[in-house]
Amino acid sequence: MSCLFCRIVAGEIPSRVVYADDTAIAFLDINPWHRGHTLVIPRRHVDDVVSDPAALPEIAPAIAATAKLLVEKLGCDGINLLSNAGAVAGQEVFHLHVHIIPRYASSPGLRAMIGPDPAIDVDEVFAALRG
Ligand code: AMP
Ligand code: ZN
């Protein structure tokens, strides 16, 4: 199995899973842009959001549940949802994923959405979400 995210679903590669249901899993991004940056993916392999129109509706309940969890546990002030389809759009992992990006009043606006923040301790965030 060569797909990185299929290997995460299979448990072959460790991840920090914050939500899971029969259809989807949600895990913390290893290179977060904001505290709590999470990826929601279908358990089945789908390349991207346009290659199989059924896939996004399938994972919609997981996206909603994960967004609610992030609001409740991290107290974020807003959320961005993003799914890149195709290399030209910035997609780097070719297994459909929706970025859920919690946003905080200290760093507002769309222009501040993108870009890794190396100061974020992903294990600390994971502990906060599980507690
Ligand atoms: P994209 O550019 O939309 O394909 O985003 C891919 C995302 O996957 C990036 O934000 C990466 O930081 C993230 N990522 C890559 N490998 C892993 C991994 N092993 N665990 C968690 N997130 C990952
Ligand atoms: Zn895959």
Side-chain angles (χ1 to χ4, degrees), residues 3 5-6 45-46 94-95:
C3 171
F5 286 177
C6 282
H45 183 88
V46 177
F94 291 85
H95 179 129

Side-chain angles (χ1 to χ4, degrees):
M1 194 191 299
S2 61
C3 171
L4 173 65
F5 286 177
C6 282
R7 296 185 70 191
I8 284 178
V9 170
E12 294 174 12
I13 292 177
S15 66
R16 299 175 182 85
V17 174
V18 297
Y19 178 84
D21 62 23
D22 290 346
T23 311
I25 67 168
F27 54 95
L28 294 180
D29 196 296
I30 41 162
N31 212 0
W33 302 344
H34 297 272
R35 185 168 184 260
H37 184 168
T38 299
L39 304 175
V40 182
I41 71 171
R43 288 183 182 274
R44 68 185 179 98
H45 183 88
V46 177
D47 283 349
D48 58 44
V49 70
V50 289
S51 64
D52 182 345
L56 186 61
E58 283 174 17
I59 67 171
I63 295 168
T66 304
K68 186 167 184 284
L69 178 78
L70 295 170
V71 169
E72 289 177 354
K73 296 277 189 174
L74 301 183
C76 56
D77 304 302
I79 278 185
N80 295 110
L81 298 182
L82 173 71
S83 192
N84 303 322
V88 74
Q91 187 176 11
E92 293 180 349
V93 179
F94 291 85
H95 179 129
L96 169 63
H97 51 282
V98 174
H99 296 254
I100 304 185
I101 306 151
R103 302 298 304 277
Y104 302 91
S106 55
S107 179
L110 259 188
R111 290 181 194 282
M113 178 178 73
I114 294 175
D117 181 351
I120 295 171
D121 177 347
V122 185
D123 285 320
E124 176 276 319
V125 179
F126 190 44
L129 284 166
R130 296 183 79 186

